[in-house]
Amino acid sequence: AQSVTQPDIHITVSEGASLELRCNYSYGATPYLFWYVQSPGQGLQLLLKYFSGDTLVQGIKGFEAEFKRSQSSFNLRKPSVHWSDAAEYFCAVVNQGGKLIFGQGTELSVKP
Amino acid sequence: GAVVSQHPSWVICKSGTSVKIECRSLDFQATTMFWYRQFPKQSLMLMATSNEGSKATYEQGVEKDKFLINHASLTLSTLTVTSAHPEDSSFYICSATGQGAGNTEAFFGQGTRLTVV
C-alpha cells in the first residue's frame, strides 16, 4: 500500500538558516508527489509538486524539492528561512485511486 | 491556482443538532471532492470521496449515516454532521479536483472548525 513518512515531527531552525524537511514514500509506480503548507487554523496551500521530468522542482515562497527515486525521497528545502515560514508542512502522494495520502506532518518553528 | 471556498470557517453547535459545511469550487468544475478530518497536531484523515451526481465513497470506519455527503453539482459539495456530539469536534477540510484545475492536483478549502458543546 502507498504510504508517506515524514520522520521529523518538529524542527526548529534559526531565521536565515537553511532548511530541509524529509519525506519518504512507498509507491510501486512513478509517484505524483506534493508538498503542502498549513498555517494554524487554515487549509492547505500547495508549495510544489512533482509529476515527471526534472527531479528538482521549484515551488512558491522560495521552496524547492528533489525527487530521488533510488532513495524513495522527496525532501523539501529552502536556503534561507523566514519567520513567516513557521507552519505545518505535509508531504503527500497520489495513490492509484486518485486519493492523496499524507505524511504525518512536520511542524516548523523559526527562532529569531 | 484554482480556488475552493469552504463555509463556515468555524461553527459552534449544541449536542444533538446537525451542522452543514459547504465546499465550493469558484473557478472550475470539481468532478471529485474529498472530505478530510484533522485532529490537533495530526495529519489529515480522508473521510470520503464524492463524485458529482453519485454517492460518496466512505473510508473504512467512517459512519456514512453520521457524515452525510452530497455532491449535487460540479461546484458544490456539502458535508452534514448529523446529531453532533462533542467527539465530532474537529477541523474539517475539503479539497477538489476537476476540469480546469488539473485533474491530478487537489485544491483545498480553508477548513471548518467545528465545536460541539
Side-chain angles (χ1 to χ4, degrees):
Chain A
Q2 299 89 354
S3 65
V4 177
T5 302
Q6 292 178 245
D8 305 304
I9 296 174
H10 189 193
I11 283 182
T12 300
V13 299
S14 297
E15 190 167 16
S18 63
L19 169 71
E20 183 169 29
L21 302 183
R22 295 184 292 166
C23 172
N24 293 98
Y25 66 89
S26 171
Y27 192 77
T30 299
Y32 289 170
L33 293 159
F34 303 82
W35 273 101
Y36 288 90
V37 60
Q38 183 182 33
S39 297
Q42 299 292 315
L44 274 68
Q45 181 182 24
L46 180 69
L47 287 175
L48 46 78
K49 59 189 176 186
Y50 171 78
F51 291 165
S52 65
D54 194 348
T55 56
L56 185 62
V57 180
Q58 301 297 321
I60 63 171
K61 303 184 180 185
F63 286 93
E64 67 177 27
E66 186 170 11
F67 170 62
K68 293 185 177 179
R69 185 187 298 276
S70 61
Q71 298 177 20
S72 297
S73 69
F74 189 56
N75 294 347
L76 182 72
R77 299 193 294 249
K78 186 169 184 177
S80 177
V81 170
H82 189 261
W83 65 265
S84 60
D85 293 324
E88 188 86 17
Y89 291 81
F90 292 98
C91 182
V93 65
V94 172
N95 72 3
Q96 291 173 327
K99 299 175 185 177
L100 274 171
I101 307 297
F102 286 92
Q104 303 91 319
T106 298
E107 182 180 3
L108 173 65
S109 297
V110 180
K111 292 190 300 186
Chain B
V3 179
V4 174
S5 176
Q6 192 173 335
H7 178 81
S9 56
W10 61 270
V11 57
I12 301 174
C13 71
K14 291 184 177 180
S15 284
T17 62
S18 296
V19 173
K20 180 184 285 187
I21 302 170
E22 292 186 348
C23 182
R24 294 181 184 271
S25 56
L26 298 186
D27 51 4
F28 68 101
Q29 294 184 325
T31 50
T32 304
M33 284 188 170
F34 302 88
W35 287 95
Y36 296 86
R37 183 173 181 175
Q38 185 180 31
F39 292 100
K41 301 291 186 181
Q42 293 191 27
S43 188
L44 283 74
M45 181 190 77
L46 180 64
M47 299 174 66
T49 303
S50 73
N51 293 294
E52 185 268 336
S54 60
K55 289 185 178 180
T57 303
Y58 290 80
E59 296 299 304
Q60 192 173 9
V62 178
E63 299 176 61
K64 57 183 66 176
D65 294 330
K66 176 114 182 117
F67 299 100
L68 301 179
I69 292 172
N70 183 278
H71 192 166
S73 78
L74 282 171
T75 59
L76 174 64
S77 176
T78 59
L79 168 67
T80 301
V81 183
T82 63
S83 186
H85 288 93
E87 57 264 30
D88 299 324
S89 299
S90 192
F91 193 59
Y92 294 87
I93 306 176
C94 70
S95 72
T97 63
Q99 301 167 8
N103 287 331
T104 50
E105 182 173 337
F107 295 89
F108 286 80
Q110 309 94 312
T112 297
R113 171 73 58 194
L114 170 63
T115 302
V116 185
V117 297

